[in-house]
């Protein structure tokens, strides 16, 4: 367990690209959005909630931990199985912290800005996904589960790149996006998937669905880890 | 301790290891020699669990080695190993974080002796120093088995000497099995205890270095005298110059005579004679 936790700590501390991208977007895109809104003086006074930019962090970690840290951890004496376990341990706390910050910001800064008349509304995924309707605690759990799903998907998709099944998966994703809209049953399947992952009225179902899909996706990542060249 | 049982490793149509079997049952410094493409790196990676064997089995302390069952006892260092671009102190700390047996004091002591600047980031180091840093991480890992693939590539002669001294010292302090693959043969000969020679993916020779000292020698003199003295012995190479002949032998000793001279064969000459093709006639 020490080794797995140690690897997770290394991933948190030494995944600079992920932190850099998420940090730049958070620190630059948010204020830039606000400045543009001030300069152009839009009639619609809605702004993207600041903490929404942080959602990028779990996804970036899901990409850059396997892409950049895998080989380096192996050269430090790490084992593949430990990497497999530690990656999830890397993502889950980050998802929880981002989700928590997002909920706190939603309840404080965003509401204050609306109440003070600065803006009409803060565009927040927590509201768009209707998570906040279940209360702050449930919303936190729902967003955490959804972010875990997003980071696991990024993790697995990154690991399978460069392998034949990675290319097949990429092609299938593109094909699905292009084909789902015109083909009614496929469109229905996609709608059902996102309804379960995001919009289901029962929070417990949405959380369990996200965690189940995350577990399945994460398990798939053991296949490329097992055979990844080193 | 380490057992390769009829290992075969194919990369598509290319066979890197062919029915390779070897047992290593005591600690020491093992010198792994082979020509380029002989299968040295494949052998080390298979043992470390970084690549799977196509057939056969590898075990370490009777436990099978697999991609998801990489042996806890093994640490593999390859040439040009990518590391986190952080200060070396942080790099050692990171290694200690994922390996509780990592000996920080030993790592710092070695770094001091190698004059490694611990305040520098990894990418700020020269090629040789990068290799040294990676090797130090391995030596300090506290693992039972260290696999060093071309560790002295990029080292200057002084660094190579210090490196081999430290390797020797380190193994004397704690019993470790170190398998070193290198092309700088005569330097490793000073510290290696066992010799593994691999050719075209197959085990060519596995013996004690003393055995090589004893059985590998050259006989030089008039061609007819040398030919007569070495008849029936295993000749691994020969050179001719005028009426004189030198034969490289790997066999029992010939009787001393004033008709020819017998001299020790360097490990490099022995290796070249053994795997450099058929008897070479100049």
């Amino acid at each position: 367990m020490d080794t797995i936790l140690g690897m997770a700590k290394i991933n948190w501390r030494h995944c600079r690209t992920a932190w850099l991208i998420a940090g730049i977007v958070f620190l630059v895109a948010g204020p830039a959005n606000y400045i543009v809104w001030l300069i152009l003086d839009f009639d619609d006074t809605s702004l993207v909630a600041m903490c929404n930019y942080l959602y990028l962090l779990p996804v970036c970690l899901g990409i850059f931990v396997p892409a950049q840290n895998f080989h380096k951890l192996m050269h430090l004496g790490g084992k593949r199985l430990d990497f497999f376990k530690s990656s999830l341990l890397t993502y889950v706390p980050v998802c929880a912290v981002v989700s928590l910050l997002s909920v706190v910001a939603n309840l404080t800064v965003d509401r204050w800005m609306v109440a003070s008349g600065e803006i009409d509304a803060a565009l927040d995924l927590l509201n768009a996904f209707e998570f906040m309707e279940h209360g702050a605690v449930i919303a936190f759990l729902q967003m955490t589960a959804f972010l875990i799903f997003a980071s696991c998907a990024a993790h697995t998709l990154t690991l399978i790149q460069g392998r034949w099944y990675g290319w097949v998966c990429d092609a299938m994703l593109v094909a699905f996006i292009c084909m789902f809209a015109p083909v009614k049953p496929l469109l229905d399947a996609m709608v059902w998937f996102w309804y379960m992952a995001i919009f289901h009225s029962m929070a417990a179902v949405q959380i369990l669905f996200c965690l189940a899909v995350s577990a399945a996706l994460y398990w798939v990542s053991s296949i490329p880890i097992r055979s990844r060249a080193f | 301790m380490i057992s390769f049982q009829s290992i075969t490793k194919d990369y598509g149509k290319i066979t890197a290891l062919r029915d390779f079997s070897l047992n290593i049952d005591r600690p020491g410094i093992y010198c792994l020699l082979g020509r380029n493409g002989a299968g040295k790196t494949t052998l080390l990676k298979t043992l470390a669990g970084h690549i799977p064997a196509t057939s056969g089995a590898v075990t370490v302390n009777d436990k099978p080695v697999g991609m998801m069952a990489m042996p806890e006892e093994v640490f593999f260092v390859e040439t040009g190993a990518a590391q986190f671009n952080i200060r070396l102190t942080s790099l050692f700390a990171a290694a200690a974080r994922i390996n509780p047996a990592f000996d920080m004091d030993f790592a710092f002591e070695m770094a001091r002796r190698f004059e490694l600047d611990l305040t520098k980031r990894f990418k700020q180091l020269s090629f040789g120093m990068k290799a040294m840093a990676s090797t130090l991480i391995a030596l300090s890992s506290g693992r039972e088995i260290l696999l060093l693939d071309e560790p002295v590539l990029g080292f200057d002669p002084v660094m190579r000497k210090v490196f081999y001294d430290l390797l020797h010292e380190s193994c004397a302090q704690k019993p470790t099995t170190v398998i070193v693959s290198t092309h700088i043969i005569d330097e490793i000969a000073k510290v290696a205890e066992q010799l593994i020679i691999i050719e075209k993916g197959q085990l060519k020779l596995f013996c004690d270095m003393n055995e090589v000292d004893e059985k590998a020698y050259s006989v030089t003199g008039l061609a007819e005298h040398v030919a007569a003295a070495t008849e029936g012995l295993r000749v691994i190479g020969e050179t001719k110059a005028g009426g004189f002949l030198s034969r490289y032998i790997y066999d029992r000793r010939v009787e001393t005579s004033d008709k020819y001279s017998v001299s020790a064969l360097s490990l490099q000459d022995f290796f070249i004679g053994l795997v450099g093709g058929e008897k070479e006639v100049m």
Side-chain angles (χ1 to χ4, degrees), chain A residues 6 13 42 70 132 146 159-160 177 190 204:
Chain A
R13 290 187 63 170
F42 288 119
F70 174 76
M132 288 305 283
F146 182 73
L159 277 168
I160 61 176
I177 292 164
M190 189 165 70

Side-chain angles (χ1 to χ4, degrees), chain A residues 121-133:
Chain A
L123 302 175
D124 194 336
L125 283 184
L126 283 166
N127 298 325
F129 291 170
E130 299 170 1
F131 291 167
M132 288 305 283
E133 289 177 11

Side-chain angles (χ1 to χ4, degrees), chain A residues 27-42 47:
Chain A
L27 294 172
V28 176
N33 194 13
Y34 187 71
I35 291 164
V36 168
W37 170 74
L38 276 179
I39 293 169
L40 296 182
D41 195 19
F42 288 119
L47 272 182

Side-chain angles (χ1 to χ4, degrees), chain B residues 78-144:
Chain B
E78 67 177 342
T79 321
Q83 301 283 5
F84 289 101
N85 187 27
I86 51 180
R87 294 181 202 286
L88 290 188
T89 42
S90 305
L91 196 62
F92 290 164
R97 208 166 257 141
I98 59 173
N99 176 16
F102 190 84
D103 189 341
M104 281 289 262
D105 294 336
F106 182 80
F108 283 124
E109 170 60 16
M110 294 290 131
R112 189 187 61 74
R113 288 177 66 172
F114 277 111
E115 298 173 0
L116 267 178
D117 186 350
L118 293 171
T119 61
K120 277 191 175 173
R121 289 173 181 275
F122 187 76
K123 282 187 181 169
Q124 292 173 325
L125 299 173
S126 66
F127 182 79
M129 286 297 182
K130 281 179 186 167
M132 180 61 77
S134 294
T135 308
L136 278 192
I137 291 170
L139 288 175
S140 312
S141 67
R143 302 262 170 91
E144 273 177 54

